[in-house]
Amino acid sequence: MNYIGSIDQGTTSTRFILFNERGESVSTHQLEHKQYYPQPGYVEHDPEEIWKNTKTVIREAIRKSGINVKDLKGLGITNQRETIIPFDPTTGEVLHNAIVWQDLRASSIVDSFKELISAEELRERTGLLFSPYFSASKIVWLINNVPLVRERLEEGRCIFGTIDTFLAFRLTGRIITDATNASRYMLMNIKTLQWDEKLLNLFNIPKSALPEIVPSMGEIYGYANIEGKKIPLCGILGDQQAALFGQACFNEGEAKCTYGTGCFMLVNTGEKLCYSSKGLVSTVAFLQKGQKPVYALEGSIAIAGSLVQWVRDNLKMVSNAKELDELASSVSDCGGVYIVPAFSGLFAPHWRSDARGVIAGLTGYVNRAHICRAVLEATAFQANDIFEAMNYDSGITLKSLKVDGGLTNSIPLMEFQSDILSIPVIRPRITETTALGAAFAAGLSVDIWQNRENLSRYWKEQLRWTPSMDEKTRENKILFWRKAVSRTLNWASNKE
């Protein structure tokens, strides 16, 4: 039996999963890493901790599996996107903690970008919109505020890499990023799939400080030393594109939503590059060597599973996610309560970094169970906002939605999601779709699998939720959700 290993480096943890040639998970090991919050709105990770954990999870997953390393035919990487690490390519030294995708410190830098280029031209060139979410403003902040970074940059000894770049460098010595991750920098031209010279000049970021852009699959980037064996690194996909790939959404019009720390919905738009007028971003879905790029429209929600953690850890309202689910299921509705978790502003389709979270509709009738239900419903409402924008922008009427991620274990959430979308919601048998997508990409590169059609047979439905809510109730709930969203705006500004 041949095996493919997948490094799944996420916002809160790193894991390594071994898949066999039937696409089945045979062994896994996972470790969490610390979240650093130096100031309000700042979020950082320690890259050395992530690297140490990466080595450990690879070693432990292989040990637990009992496989011979010579049967490990390739490695794939999938990673949290937009998170940026400055490092010295000559020594490997990390020059500052990773600035995480959720971080808001560069908001004023994004405002300065607006004076340099119009929103229309930025979207035309990158598929993106002005937001501190993307990597470019984080890079400028590092250059402007960290003397060591500026010093090494002037010496030509600084690379700004996303997590895939950092891990690929530590594993193989090569400085690369794949097209899906590169498309999140706000520096790559989404048509040419190369760094955009005009944007680099406008933002004063040297091209030499960025990694080489490579295909997501179809070639061997280099070799990693795993227990004395040289194993090819041969697949890289940003986490949400990896989940799209792992869900076998290979064709135009197929969509998935991942419910993790955040919530991310993507629809495959094929070789057609669709631009959004509704706050979505255009992104590379995947790029196979020798083929045309496949594009996607994406909507991102910052707070989903992390809202459950907040209720558990900060409010101490429940002891675990299972208790929250049970409480939510004990009431028939939210009791008029709506929670908008704009802890770090609102992402798609609103893109308002001045928004902050609210709990609206409180009355004396409301109890803990209603709050718990409103927590789950918040994610479903946010996903519906993106879903409606996606149908409008793509011209594709989505008939069903494939789902994955930890929150899909919440039955009340999935039931409500189907109700509020008014379409079936489908969970696959293999739920580690992000890791599976990276494994698929790597396996295609070393001929474990021959083509994407060959992979489709590994996707199997496990559970399906179908809508049962009447249209009037649905419309009324969406109306009150939108009222709650409007209450979050301008909170972090001096405006009334």
Side-chain angles (χ1 to χ4, degrees):
M1 181 73 77
N2 295 315
Y3 299 89
I4 293 288
S6 186
I7 300 167
D8 183 358
Q9 203 299 300
T11 307
T12 58
S13 68
T14 305
R15 62 179 178 167
F16 186 71
I17 302 183
L18 282 168
F19 292 94
N20 63 23
E21 57 199 40
R22 294 190 293 270
E24 299 164 336
S25 169
V26 295
S27 180
T28 183
H29 196 73
Q30 183 168 359
L31 288 172
E32 291 189 356
H33 56 265
K34 187 174 179 181
Q35 309 292 309
Y36 294 88
Y37 304 100
Q39 295 180 37
Y42 284 39
V43 191
E44 296 181 359
H45 295 156
D46 177 359
E48 294 295 354
E49 182 187 8
I50 287 173
W51 172 237
K52 180 183 174 185
N53 287 356
T54 300
K55 291 187 291 184
T56 301
V57 295
I58 291 173
R59 184 180 66 246
E60 287 302 304
I62 292 172
R63 181 188 63 78
K64 288 192 286 189
S65 73
I67 74 162
N68 192 317
V69 179
K70 71 178 177 59
D71 295 325
L72 181 57
K73 301 303 181 185
L75 296 173
I77 293 175
T78 181
N79 57 287
Q80 52 168 317
R81 306 165 304 169
E82 297 94 20
T83 296
I84 209 79
I85 301 172
F87 64 92
D88 186 326
T90 58
T91 64
E93 177 190 0
V94 172
L95 306 177
H96 189 274
N97 268 354
I99 300 182
V100 179
W101 58 274
Q102 301 152 312
D103 190 282
L104 292 175
R105 75 185 68 185
S107 295
S108 62
I109 291 171
V110 174
D111 291 337
S112 72
F113 286 173
K114 295 174 183 177
E115 299 170 10
L116 303 174
I117 187 170
S118 69
E120 292 73 22
E121 186 178 358
L122 182 73
R123 184 168 60 238
E124 180 74 22
R125 287 179 178 273
T126 67
L128 308 179
L129 33 73
F130 291 114
S131 173
Y133 174 37
F134 305 110
S135 304
S137 59
K138 297 176 173 70
I139 293 171
V140 173
W141 187 91
L142 286 163
I143 295 170
N144 292 347
N145 292 277
V146 183
L148 181 59
V149 168
R150 193 161 56 248
E151 176 189 311
R152 296 290 174 90
L153 189 64
E154 289 167 358
E155 296 171 358
R157 293 173 54 198
C158 179
I159 294 292
F160 298 103
T162 39
I163 296 281
D164 60 307
T165 300
F166 177 68
L167 293 180
F169 175 71
R170 288 287 175 97
L171 288 165
T172 70
R174 213 172 150 198
I175 300 170
I176 57 174
T177 187
D178 92 296
T180 67
N181 280 290
S183 71
R184 315 299 292 195
Y185 272 72
M186 210 164 80
L187 297 171
M188 187 192 82
N189 188 297
I190 197 161
K191 294 173 183 172
T192 66
L193 306 191
Q194 298 299 319
W195 300 120
D196 189 290
E197 297 287 353
K198 179 173 181 177
L199 293 175
L200 295 177
N201 291 332
L202 285 178
F203 303 156
N204 202 23
I205 298 171
K207 188 177 179 180
S208 59
L210 297 175
E212 175 191 356
I213 300 173
V214 297
S216 315
M217 63 198 79
E219 70 175 69
I220 293 172
Y221 315 121
Y223 292 85
N225 186 332
I226 307 295
E227 297 187 3
K229 301 286 184 183
K230 288 188 174 181
I231 309 298
L233 176 62
C234 47
I236 301 175
L237 287 163
D239 53 8
Q240 300 314 316
Q241 288 93 334
L244 188 76
F245 207 73
Q247 285 273 33
C249 294
F250 303 137
N251 302 310
E252 182 179 331
E254 294 179 327
K256 72 89 198 176
C257 192
T258 297
Y259 299 77
T261 304
C263 186
F264 302 86
M265 190 182 295
L266 281 81
V267 61
N268 182 327
T269 61
E271 294 175 5
K272 179 174 64 177
L273 176 55
C274 291
Y275 289 103
S276 174
S277 62
K278 295 285 186 181
L280 305 180
V281 301
S282 308
T283 196
V284 177
F286 54 88
L287 175 63
Q288 189 162 351
K289 187 175 183 179
Q291 298 185 15
K292 291 182 179 179
V294 174
Y295 292 104
L297 277 172
E298 175 178 340
S300 308
I301 297 163
I303 306 295
S306 50
L307 181 60
V308 174
Q309 293 171 329
W310 179 76
V311 170
R312 181 194 67 192
D313 299 338
N314 291 38
L315 299 189
K316 310 292 186 187
M317 195 174 281
V318 295
S319 57
N320 53 50
K322 184 173 182 287
E323 184 184 2
L324 186 139
D325 259 21
E326 289 169 351
L327 282 163
S329 298
S330 71
V331 289
S332 59
D333 58 37
C334 63
V337 176
Y338 291 79
I339 299 177
V340 186
F343 295 166
S344 51
L346 288 169
F347 279 25
H350 312 282
W351 296 105
R352 294 288 295 263
S353 58
D354 63 335
R356 289 296 179 270
V358 301
I359 302 177
L362 289 173
T363 64
Y365 166 75
V366 170
N367 60 36
R368 187 167 62 127
H370 295 117
I371 299 287
C372 289
R373 188 166 186 92
V375 164
L376 296 177
E377 292 185 357
T379 292
F381 281 122
Q382 291 179 97
N384 183 63
D385 286 347
I386 292 173
F387 183 83
E388 290 181 351
M390 212 163 256
N391 277 336
Y392 181 90
D393 284 327
S394 68
I396 300 164
T397 302
L398 301 177
K399 300 287 198 306
S400 64
L401 183 68
K402 292 178 177 178
V403 298
D404 56 75
L407 272 183
T408 62
N409 292 315
S410 170
I411 302 302
L413 170 57
M414 291 296 100
E415 288 173 344
F416 187 76
Q417 186 69 88
S418 177
D419 280 339
I420 219 68
L421 294 177
S422 200
I423 58 168
V425 167
I426 305 163
R427 191 174 78 188
R429 193 173 298 168
I430 299 174
T431 55
E432 300 97 345
T433 54
T434 304
L436 181 61
F440 278 170
L444 283 171
S445 304
V446 290
D447 297 326
I448 297 296
W449 300 292
Q450 302 310 308
N451 51 51
R452 294 196 290 274
E453 292 69 32
N454 187 236
L455 292 174
S456 295
R457 66 186 182 189
Y458 297 115
W459 189 92
K460 296 284 192 303
E461 180 180 319
Q462 182 193 50
L463 280 172
R464 175 182 292 247
W465 293 273
T466 54
S468 58
M469 185 180 289
D470 67 87
E471 190 60 23
K472 186 177 179 181
T473 302
R474 175 178 171 272
E475 288 177 357
N476 193 55
K477 287 182 177 294
I478 292 171
L479 170 68
F480 275 92
W481 164 256
R482 288 177 179 157
K483 285 175 69 173
V485 169
S486 71
R487 304 303 195 266
T488 70
L489 305 179
N490 290 323
W491 192 266
S493 71
N494 293 324
K495 300 174 186 175
E496 290 188 5

